[in-house]
Amino acid sequence: MAGPVAQEEQKFSLLEVLDAFKLCLSENKEVYLEHYVAGWRGLVKFLNCLGSVFGFISNDADNKIKILVSYMEGENSSQYATIQSMVKYELDDKLVDLTKSGSHPESGSRTLLRLHRALRWVELFLERLRTSSEDSKTSVMCADAYDESLAQHHPWVVSKAASMASYMLPGRPAFFEVMNVGPPEQAVATLGEVVPLISEVYQITETLYAQHDLLDLP
């Protein structure tokens, strides 16, 4: 059984995600990998608060975070300060499998692409939560966000599981409660700060990957 300290470490607060994504961008709009990973750690806690329905996504994200951290703490850590420096380093040194899986299945660029795709789903879902009415169905919001983002990258079996998971989600008030930022109106206000930050980080990453033809890494 987890003790109080372990439980506190796992407790989610939307402010944790807000703080991380506030720190994500440099003055010239490069994305700091350290803060990107910190933001994702918070989002994983959020997904875990919803029970096991999205375990397949949170577990995968957790694994991807560990891979990126190993690069950030490795012998070439200076090359992994930002997403931009990582992509340049791995492309220059031919450390990315561009057309088929080969000797670099866990390159930083490929690993981050999987998180990048999932971030779009989170962004769309959180924005729907923010703008929805009190009686809106979270199952519909989540399914629609998934269909617009991750569904195109998942095989049919995974998409079917995600669709079924959506219908097991708690109601809108439960989501606001696990955000731990106060009453629903405060949660909505905080989402109003978080979502644009996530969106900007996503768009900068999307543009970078598109410029280098990395959006379809195997």
Side-chain angles (χ1 to χ4, degrees), residues 34-55:
E34 174 189 359
H35 300 302
Y36 185 91
V37 164
W40 255 112
R41 282 199 178 105
L43 292 174
V44 166
K45 288 183 184 179
F46 174 60
L47 294 174
N48 288 339
C49 283
L50 306 176
S52 60
V53 290
F54 282 110

Side-chain angles (χ1 to χ4, degrees), residues 124-133 141 172 176 179 187-196:
L124 292 171
F125 181 43
L126 291 180
E127 177 61 10
R128 281 171 165 81
L129 274 177
R130 185 185 74 83
T131 58
S132 59
S133 60
M141 289 184 249
R172 189 170 176 264
F176 290 152
M179 290 177 185
V188 169
T190 307
L191 284 173
E193 294 184 72
V194 172
V195 174

Side-chain angles (χ1 to χ4, degrees), residues 192-210:
E193 294 184 72
V194 172
V195 174
L197 292 171
I198 291 176
S199 179
E200 186 175 13
V201 168
Y202 174 85
Q203 291 300 334
I204 289 170
T205 307
E206 180 81 357
T207 299
L208 174 70
Y209 271 61

Side-chain angles (χ1 to χ4, degrees), residues 97 104 149 197 214:
D97 297 325
H104 306 290
S149 53
L197 292 171
L214 298 177

Side-chain angles (χ1 to χ4, degrees), residues 111-129:
T111 299
L112 190 128
L113 176 61
R114 271 54 186 178
L115 287 174
H116 173 68
R117 292 169 177 173
L119 189 65
R120 177 62 172 164
W121 166 64
V122 172
E123 175 202 340
L124 292 171
F125 181 43
L126 291 180
E127 177 61 10
R128 281 171 165 81
L129 274 177

Side-chain angles (χ1 to χ4, degrees), residues 173-189:
F175 278 93
F176 290 152
E177 187 175 337
V178 300
M179 290 177 185
N180 286 311
V181 290
E185 57 269 23
Q186 185 59 47
V188 169

